[in-house]
Amino acid sequence: MNRVNLLFRNFIYFLSLSLLSVQMVQARELPNFTRLFEEASPAVVNISTLSTPKQSRAQIYGPGGEELPEIFRRYFGLPMPEAPSGKPRPMSLGSGFIISKDGYILTNNHVVEGAEKIIVRLHDRSEKVAELIGADKRSDLALLKIESEGNLPVVKMGDSDDVKPGQWVAAIGSPFNFEYSITKGIVSALDRSLPSDAYVPFIQSDVPINPGNSGGPLFNMKGEVIGINSQIFTRSGGFMGLSFAIPSDHVQWAVEQLKEKGYVTRGWLGVAIQEVDRDLAESFGLKKPMGALITQVVPGGPADNVKLHPGDIITRVDGREIMRSSALPMAIGVIEPGDKATLELIREGKRQTVSVEVGELPDEQGPHSERPLGPNMKKNRLGIQVEGLNDDNRNKLRLDEEIKGVVVTGEVTGVGRSIGLRQGDIITNLNNIRLESVKDFDKVVADLPEDRSVSMRVVRGGQSAFITFRLTD
């Protein structure tokens, strides 16, 4: 009996040793993010934006100076009278990271879009006001600049082409405004196309990303940035296991343009496409579903110029295989407008090669759309862009010939946003001066006084009203 007990105790002892050994091996195999966090986190920043409510100063007057009825207030989209506030209020919170010692910072466009003031909080908790150098809505990127003596900590940029599904990654940011939080996970998939961003080959991961993480870096285990956390898939508003990052290679391609001109231009083919499923592949004589099926060709566009037709299936661009239709916009988008691209396609069961001169992707909102304001684009004190009235926009807006002024184009920010201006509004008078051209508008805006009421007459939908506002320092 004692012998049995001894054998049993020995068995338990050796089993415990084995389990301990397995646990030690597993512990050694699990990644340790301590060093990554210590080295990389000083270059990660918290970003907040401010907007000073000016709505309480805005007044609308009708003919004879009487206050405009409520129905017209609602029509012009202006707030009802309220108690003056004047206190800055936060609009959004997000993350970013420093990419150069002289103060360039990357974040998401949606973190800073529409901001009057952008505040960057550094690792030492000091705060600096940032300038928006440029932004790209399509890829949700924004480039900021803060003043620096050239001694800022910076991240190391990695090569997103080397990323593989299954590898460990980590995110540092400010989820729910909890600064310098690190979360970890693995890469789930590559080259994901999302409906809102057809030109970005997203990195999908299961790294927990929540509100406030936007614009923060996604690191590999070497501490290199391989992406910018941009979007999550959620039904609850919080993390649900799917997060998407803009690849670092795409980011660096965009940053050069943002630095140079404040916006990003992309290549354009001028076609509408759809996915090739199994049935379509069979009907077109393909061995497997692949490529981008052209369903429509834009008249006068690059594809039309080389006689591409509906029914053509594009299978390669400059040697790069197009397995899914979503890969075509990405492949064409990174080609410089005016450069040649070699397309391999299948037409009526036969393979062909076509050389096409790539065009420039039109703006998202048509002829009056705004490119993000950058160093080479005009930015006035009212936060709006305008153009002169011509036959084209007169017809679109159904304006009578006697109406003179300028039309608001693009996104409205700053003072213009606070007093309710919109795209398509006609400004006919500013500071009691009639406007007939953009030159008139620019001169009046430059001479606008501060800290006193300024009047503006706006025509919208055939109705007109005067709006008053104040400019402050």
Side-chain angles (χ1 to χ4, degrees):
M1 193 67 178
N2 290 335
R3 181 180 177 83
V4 173
N5 289 337
L6 180 62
L7 290 172
F8 180 74
R9 285 197 298 268
N10 288 339
F11 172 75
I12 296 298
Y13 174 74
F14 286 113
L15 179 61
S16 300
L17 285 179
S18 299
L19 291 174
L20 181 60
S21 300
V22 170
Q23 291 173 350
M24 292 176 64
V25 169
Q26 290 177 338
R28 286 196 299 267
E29 290 179 349
L30 289 175
N32 188 322
F33 296 92
T34 304
R35 184 174 178 181
L36 185 157
F37 181 79
E38 291 174 347
E39 294 180 352
S41 61
V44 180
V45 300
N46 175 269
I47 296 176
S48 59
T49 61
L50 295 178
S51 173
T52 302
K54 299 184 178 70
Q55 290 92 333
S56 58
R57 296 179 176 179
Q59 303 173 26
I60 314 177
Y61 298 99
E66 69 271 22
E67 189 173 353
L68 204 65
E70 178 180 334
I71 186 172
F72 286 103
R73 282 185 176 274
R74 297 188 184 281
Y75 181 83
F76 270 81
L78 287 164
M80 302 306 294
E82 59 182 32
S85 170
K87 294 182 179 179
R89 70 175 191 272
M91 289 178 58
S92 65
L93 293 168
S95 305
F97 53 95
I98 307 169
I99 61 173
S100 67
K101 291 183 178 295
D102 56 349
Y104 281 102
I105 294 172
L106 275 172
T107 187
N108 286 149
N109 173 68
H110 76 260
V111 171
V112 298
E113 187 175 20
E116 294 178 23
K117 191 174 185 180
I118 303 170
I119 299 174
V120 173
R121 184 181 299 169
L122 302 176
H123 189 259
D124 61 3
R125 304 196 65 78
S126 63
E127 294 185 349
K128 293 180 179 289
V129 176
E131 175 190 0
L132 176 62
I133 299 300
D136 180 42
K137 289 185 180 181
R138 281 191 170 95
S139 61
D140 196 22
L141 287 174
L143 181 66
L144 312 179
K145 179 74 164 61
I146 60 174
E147 292 186 3
S148 166
E149 297 177 355
N151 56 356
L152 292 172
V154 298
V155 298
K156 296 182 291 185
M157 297 299 292
D159 187 349
S160 55
D161 278 348
D162 294 336
V163 175
K164 291 179 170 49
Q167 75 177 70
W168 286 99
V169 285
I172 300 177
S174 304
F176 301 109
N177 207 27
F178 290 111
E179 297 178 1
Y180 296 99
S181 297
I182 182 170
T183 53
K184 52 83 176 172
I186 62 169
V187 174
S188 304
L190 302 174
D191 295 330
R192 287 297 197 214
S193 176
L194 302 180
S196 58
D197 297 276
Y199 290 86
V200 179
F202 284 99
I203 298 171
Q204 179 189 327
S205 78
D206 67 351
V207 177
I209 299 296
N210 283 292
N213 274 117
S214 292
L218 185 70
F219 293 99
N220 61 18
M221 290 306 296
K222 297 177 182 178
E224 299 169 334
V225 175
I226 58 168
I228 298 182
N229 299 312
S230 176
Q231 300 188 38
I232 60 174
F233 176 83
T234 180
R235 290 191 176 97
S236 64
F239 175 70
M240 293 186 68
L242 294 174
S243 54
F244 300 92
I246 307 162
S248 58
D249 289 355
H250 188 90
V251 169
Q252 294 185 80
W253 167 79
V255 163
E256 295 305 314
Q257 297 193 57
L258 294 177
K259 279 185 179 180
E260 179 183 348
K261 54 192 177 185
Y263 59 90
V264 175
T265 55
R266 288 179 169 81
W268 177 63
L269 197 55
V271 295
I273 57 176
Q274 76 176 68
E275 193 71 31
V276 178
D277 59 21
R278 184 180 62 181
D279 293 334
L280 282 171
E282 182 181 349
S283 68
F284 283 101
L286 296 176
K287 294 181 180 179
K288 61 180 181 179
M290 67 172 299
L293 173 62
I294 297 177
T295 60
Q296 186 176 350
V297 177
V298 177
D304 187 38
N305 293 337
V306 294
K307 307 303 181 186
L308 294 186
H309 307 301
D312 291 346
I313 299 176
I314 300 175
T315 57
R316 288 182 183 271
V317 175
D318 288 338
R320 173 182 172 181
E321 192 171 46
I322 306 298
M323 288 300 299
R324 305 183 67 90
S325 61
S326 58
L328 182 63
M330 300 175 193
I332 295 294
V334 296
I335 298 175
E336 184 75 19
D339 286 355
K340 295 277 190 178
T342 301
L343 307 180
E344 296 180 31
L345 56 93
I346 296 174
R347 175 181 295 168
E348 297 177 353
K350 298 179 181 179
R351 296 187 178 273
Q352 299 187 21
T353 300
V354 176
S355 178
V356 59
E357 182 177 319
V358 175
E360 181 178 341
L361 181 66
D363 291 337
E364 292 176 288
Q365 301 169 6
H368 301 315
S369 66
E370 177 193 11
R371 281 176 171 147
L373 295 173
N376 298 330
M377 296 193 69
K378 191 164 190 178
K379 184 177 184 180
N380 58 55
R381 299 164 70 194
L382 300 185
I384 61 175
Q385 289 180 283
V386 299
E387 66 180 37
L389 290 176
N390 52 40
D391 291 340
D392 183 45
N393 50 39
R394 281 185 183 278
N395 291 333
K396 288 180 179 178
L397 299 171
R398 300 178 182 178
L399 298 177
D400 295 330
E401 286 293 328
E402 61 268 18
I403 295 180
K404 307 292 184 181
V406 294
V407 59
V408 177
T409 63
E411 182 187 8
V412 178
T413 62
V415 176
R417 181 183 183 185
S418 72
I419 61 178
L421 291 179
R422 302 176 187 171
Q423 287 188 47
D425 284 350
I426 310 300
I427 303 174
T428 63
N429 296 68
L430 182 58
N431 199 26
N432 300 319
I433 299 174
R434 294 182 63 183
L435 305 177
E436 294 193 5
S437 65
V438 175
K439 184 178 180 180
D440 291 343
F441 174 83
D442 289 342
K443 185 177 186 304
V444 175
V445 169
D447 295 335
L448 286 177
E450 294 181 349
D451 291 321
R452 78 166 177 82
S453 293
V454 176
S455 65
M456 174 189 294
R457 181 173 180 265
V458 178
V459 178
R460 179 184 297 167
Q463 303 290 335
S464 64
F466 278 90
I467 301 172
T468 63
F469 60 93
R470 288 175 184 266
L471 290 176
T472 57
D473 293 332

